[in-house]
Amino acid sequence: PEQDVLAAWAGLGYYSRARNLRKAARQIGDAFPSDHDSIRELPGVGDYTAAAIASIAFDRPHAVLDGNVMRVMARLNNDPGDVGSTVTRQRLQQHADELLDRRNPGRFNQALMELGATVCLPRDPRCMACPVTKHCAAFQQGRQNELPVKLRKTRAVAEVRTIWIVRNRGRILMRQVDAGSKRLAGFW
């Protein structure tokens, strides 16, 4: 039951992930899908997760694009676009797709993610230890510390809510938040 899944997930945050994990498990049935498009159709699975699973678990040729890979791609191509922009992300995805080793896509993706996590760091990249420095356009132009460009997000809007607690003869009356709600769906 969903309440048991949410209770087990308690404290981990992002409860929609727990709900999606439960939905995906029910949808999968007996065999986990092995192609990118079928994996992508699972509830809660986005492009990155589908590409990672397809390439690493099933050797399918799909390039991943997470924050680390975006940083590597932006620097390799000296791309000045805002990584928060859909157009820039599509361009970086295209670059990753072009570089992908189709014979070993899982290993290639893991290596690229690891490069971004350990060498091509957000601040003070370790360019002298980088195996692809000679191909890095940002390094060649001395711009590696300026990229990727990440424009500031707009500030969150504060909301004020009123919550009523109704007691009736020693009992508290409760209602469950609608499952379609964006906030606290399914909670009491």
Side-chain angles (χ1 to χ4, degrees):
E2 183 174 294
Q3 290 301 325
D4 292 350
V5 172
L6 294 175
W9 193 270
L12 298 176
Y14 299 108
Y15 288 91
S16 63
R17 290 181 178 172
R19 285 188 191 88
N20 285 330
L21 184 63
R22 180 176 176 269
K23 287 177 193 171
R26 287 179 170 224
Q27 186 175 323
I28 290 168
D30 294 335
F32 197 93
S34 61
D35 66 283
H36 177 272
D37 293 340
S38 297
I39 296 167
R40 179 67 180 87
E41 289 176 7
L42 294 173
V45 174
D47 292 329
Y48 164 74
T49 302
I53 293 171
S55 67
I56 296 168
F58 301 108
D59 254 350
R60 305 286 187 194
H62 292 278
V64 298
L65 189 70
D66 68 352
N68 290 327
V69 175
M70 279 193 283
R71 185 169 50 256
V72 172
M73 290 294 111
R75 288 176 176 162
L76 278 175
N77 295 287
N78 198 24
D79 191 314
D82 172 22
V83 293
S85 157
T86 302
V87 173
T88 301
R89 286 176 182 249
Q90 289 172 342
R91 189 170 53 248
L92 297 176
Q93 180 70 59
Q94 183 179 0
H95 292 311
D97 291 338
E98 290 167 2
L99 288 177
L100 181 68
D101 178 353
R102 297 200 174 318
R103 293 167 305 184
N104 292 304
R107 289 180 70 189
F108 180 85
N109 281 332
Q110 290 179 78
L112 204 53
M113 291 185 287
E114 188 71 10
L115 179 67
T118 62
V119 177
C120 194
L121 303 170
R123 290 174 184 59
D124 300 321
R126 299 176 51 221
C127 297
M128 293 306 130
C130 182
V132 294
T133 299
K134 66 181 178 182
H135 304 288
C136 182
F139 175 76
Q140 291 167 4
Q141 295 185 17
R143 296 194 59 219
Q144 66 272 19
N145 288 314
E146 300 169 24
L147 299 173
V149 173
K150 196 173 193 178
L151 300 178
R152 296 185 187 264
K153 294 181 182 178
T154 57
R155 296 181 126 206
V157 177
E159 289 187 21
V160 177
R161 304 273 180 150
T162 302
I163 298 175
W164 294 88
I165 298 176
V166 179
R167 292 184 187 196
N168 184 2
R169 296 184 186 144
R171 294 185 305 185
I172 297 177
L173 302 179
M174 299 169 30
R175 81 171 175 87
Q176 193 171 20
V177 177
D178 178 39
S181 172
K182 289 189 175 190
R183 298 187 190 271
L184 303 175
F187 281 85
W188 291 92

